[in-house]
Amino acid sequence: EDAAILFCDVRDDGLRSPAGMAFRGDVLFVGTAQQIRSYIDLDGDGRSDSSWVFFDKIPFSDHPYEWTSALTFDGDGSLYFVLTTDSWNAGASPDPEGLRGSIVHVSADGSRAERFATGVRSVPAMVRTTDGTLLFVDNEGGGNPTEELNHAVEGSFYGHNPSKFGSPAVTGPMLDLRTEVAPSGLTIGSDGDLFVSFYGPGERWRRGGIGRIHFSEKRDSSPVGFGSSGFEAHAAEFPVVTGLAKLSDLEFGPNGDLYATQVGQTDYWYQNLGEPDGAIFRIIPAPWVEPSDELPTRSRSEVLPGQSVERGRQLFADLACSACHSVDGKTELLGPNLKYAGSNYSRTELLEEITSPSMRIKPSMKATRITRQNGEVLLGRIVESSDETIAVIGIGNVITRVARRDIRSTHDVDESMMWTGLLDGLSEDQVGDLLNYLSALSTE
């Protein structure tokens, strides 16, 4: 880097959380929590000197995870973008058009908007292929059993928050992403392969990486194509870089080098800790290095002793872990589904998650204390939120729906609902058995 200047500051317009952007000609469109705003540099000094509202019909509250992301233009100048789900937000704003948790299509002049597809959770990136196909990545959780690569098809529902959208049939992902956790960026290489950046598990500051997705021919050996009739090409994922932590986006430079942005260390709400932190990496191809088709160690399954795995399975039952955790990769209970826990986390990380469950809590897993007007208190995890009700899953996996008019107050709980003394009294061998069982789940 020789120089860097501030092009625009969305705070000057009373906005926050610029989470997506895209150029259309000389105009930069920036997606913020409240609106999509257009910025342009008219005098050529490298700084924006004029801006205007492009689209502001966004249901907005003060929740910090309300993002406007994955801005992608069509050939006619119209815009596709994603509004993060409101399913875990107790203070979600009214959303009569059902825009949150959807891919939204806006006309070129910003005057008309419609839902293109629904049931998405937290989509940081979307790309359009040369034949016009929209592809997007989504994050695991809340109806998404894995990290996903999806083909965006008009009218489709992708599985998250089904009650909000009438519980339609679910369109499954094209590919379960395994290079790392939390896909964050998406771009297309010169050969047509996709490159995906990964943020890694929240607050694990050394996790992250980049994966590459190659599309092979169709089964009938005709050229690879996506097409309006549905995606038919085979996709395979390969790691490019592992251990490059907390990546948020990536893009190719004109000479073929790959640039990746890294988020610095933040607090739970992704706010700076003291001085701004972070970096941009330039990744230069090394033609003398043979590419590997193996996923990194965290995604490969080692051969585990069968008797130890079975003893761990019994311990999982004896400790009543299954009361809060499913292991099928599909069912949503009070705690996270553990189907891929062993491939997503190392044994050391798994042990820390069990013994210190409040150290890192995924946003969608955070507990909320709801006090009713009559003084009754409910404690659980918000799984659905609408204009009229909040649905909370509590101990025993009972889902309780509470009318908003019946709520006196809501408060986030900073401690996990998981018992911290789960492993008390177990021997070292028993703890090893339990970890072996969790590590083996992804192979079953």
Side-chain angles (χ1 to χ4, degrees):
E1 173 189 324
D2 298 311
I5 60 173
L6 180 66
F7 182 72
C8 64
D9 191 334
V10 301
R11 291 175 296 184
D12 295 340
D13 299 303
L15 306 175
R16 68 163 175 83
S17 303
M21 63 180 181
F23 272 100
R24 189 177 69 186
D26 295 332
V27 181
L28 177 66
F29 292 74
V30 180
T32 71
Q34 302 98 317
Q35 62 179 236
I36 298 175
R37 194 168 185 90
S38 304
Y39 293 88
I40 191 169
D41 171 22
L42 294 173
D43 61 12
D45 67 351
R47 296 174 174 83
S48 169
D49 43 37
S50 181
S51 73
W52 60 95
V53 176
F54 174 72
F55 181 79
D56 63 358
K57 298 177 179 62
I58 293 175
F60 167 73
S61 73
D62 291 327
H63 195 277
Y65 289 162
E66 290 188 351
W67 297 323
T68 304
S69 57
L71 277 65
T72 307
F73 281 102
D74 204 346
D76 62 1
S78 61
L79 178 68
Y80 293 84
F81 71 93
V82 172
L83 293 180
T84 301
T85 181
D86 54 5
S87 66
W88 58 67
N89 182 0
S93 293
D95 185 17
E97 303 298 323
L99 297 183
R100 286 221 163 268
S102 300
I103 300 174
V104 183
H105 186 200
V106 185
S107 61
D109 62 0
S111 63
R112 302 183 311 280
E114 61 183 1
R115 290 189 324 200
F116 179 79
T118 58
V120 299
R121 181 178 178 270
S122 180
V123 175
M126 183 161 52
V127 295
R128 181 174 293 283
T129 65
T130 54
D131 66 358
T133 299
L134 276 175
L135 303 176
F136 68 93
V137 288
D138 202 353
N139 278 236
E140 178 270 334
N144 296 344
T146 62
E147 318 291 354
E148 299 179 348
L149 173 69
N150 292 283
H151 176 200
V153 177
E154 186 172 7
S156 293
F157 171 75
Y158 292 92
H160 179 72
N161 205 5
S163 64
K164 178 171 182 174
F165 302 106
S167 300
V170 176
T171 297
M174 291 170 48
L175 186 67
D176 294 337
L177 300 175
R178 306 300 301 149
T179 293
E180 245 293 0
V181 172
S184 55
L186 188 63
T187 192
I188 302 177
S190 59
D191 58 359
D193 282 3
L194 288 180
F195 289 75
V196 185
S197 59
F198 291 85
Y199 183 82
E203 297 184 77
R204 292 196 177 275
W205 305 112
R206 297 183 182 276
R207 292 282 299 272
I210 298 174
R212 178 175 187 162
I213 300 170
H214 176 70
F215 298 103
S216 61
E217 293 183 348
K218 294 181 181 180
R219 288 187 176 88
D220 62 4
S221 299
S222 59
V224 172
F226 298 86
S228 59
S229 61
F231 182 84
E232 298 180 54
H234 302 292
E237 180 184 9
F238 309 97
V240 175
V241 176
T242 58
L244 192 55
K246 293 290 167 277
L247 300 185
S248 60
D249 206 356
L250 74 174
E251 189 58 77
F252 281 98
N255 64 350
D257 292 349
L258 185 61
Y259 293 78
T261 54
Q262 180 189 58
V263 176
Q265 190 164 338
T266 69
D267 67 10
Y268 182 83
W269 302 110
Y270 299 119
Q271 304 300 310
N272 287 332
L273 295 174
E275 292 297 316
D277 192 9
I280 300 175
F281 287 93
R282 179 182 179 187
I283 301 163
I284 303 169
W288 59 88
V289 176
E290 288 293 328
S292 170
D293 60 357
E294 291 188 330
L295 290 174
T297 301
R298 56 157 293 279
S299 295
R300 297 202 304 269
S301 298
E302 57 181 314
V303 178
L304 298 167
Q307 288 184 341
S308 175
V309 169
E310 288 307 312
R311 289 195 298 267
R313 189 191 308 273
Q314 186 60 51
L315 270 172
F316 189 85
D318 293 344
L319 295 171
C321 302
S322 55
C324 295
H325 298 279
S326 177
V327 296
D328 61 0
K330 300 175 183 179
T331 307
E332 183 171 10
L333 301 180
L334 179 62
N337 196 300
L338 300 180
K339 171 67 174 175
Y340 298 102
S343 59
N344 288 342
Y345 297 95
S346 68
R347 291 173 69 88
T348 300
E349 291 170 337
L350 275 176
L351 184 59
E352 188 176 69
E353 293 288 335
I354 295 170
T355 57
S356 304
S358 297
M359 185 179 295
R360 301 174 181 88
I361 305 175
K362 193 173 184 178
S364 60
M365 290 291 146
K366 199 174 184 72
T368 299
R369 180 179 290 105
I370 297 176
T371 304
R372 295 180 187 256
Q373 297 291 359
N374 63 4
E376 179 186 352
V377 175
L378 294 174
L379 178 65
R381 180 169 62 85
I382 294 175
V383 290
E384 295 173 14
S385 177
S386 70
D387 300 352
E388 295 82 24
T389 62
I390 294 176
V392 181
I393 187 170
I395 301 297
N397 305 301
V398 175
I399 295 179
T400 303
R401 285 178 167 77
V402 186
R404 287 190 178 273
R405 65 177 180 274
D406 189 33
I407 296 175
R408 181 190 302 172
S409 64
T410 62
H411 298 282
D412 287 339
V413 177
D414 293 329
E415 293 185 357
S416 172
M417 288 185 287
M418 182 172 168
W419 180 39
T420 57
L422 185 69
L423 302 184
D424 291 353
L426 296 186
S427 68
E428 185 175 336
D429 287 343
Q430 286 177 309
V431 172
D433 291 341
L434 182 61
L435 294 177
N436 281 342
Y437 169 64
L438 294 174
S439 298
L441 282 172
S442 59
T443 65
E444 296 183 349

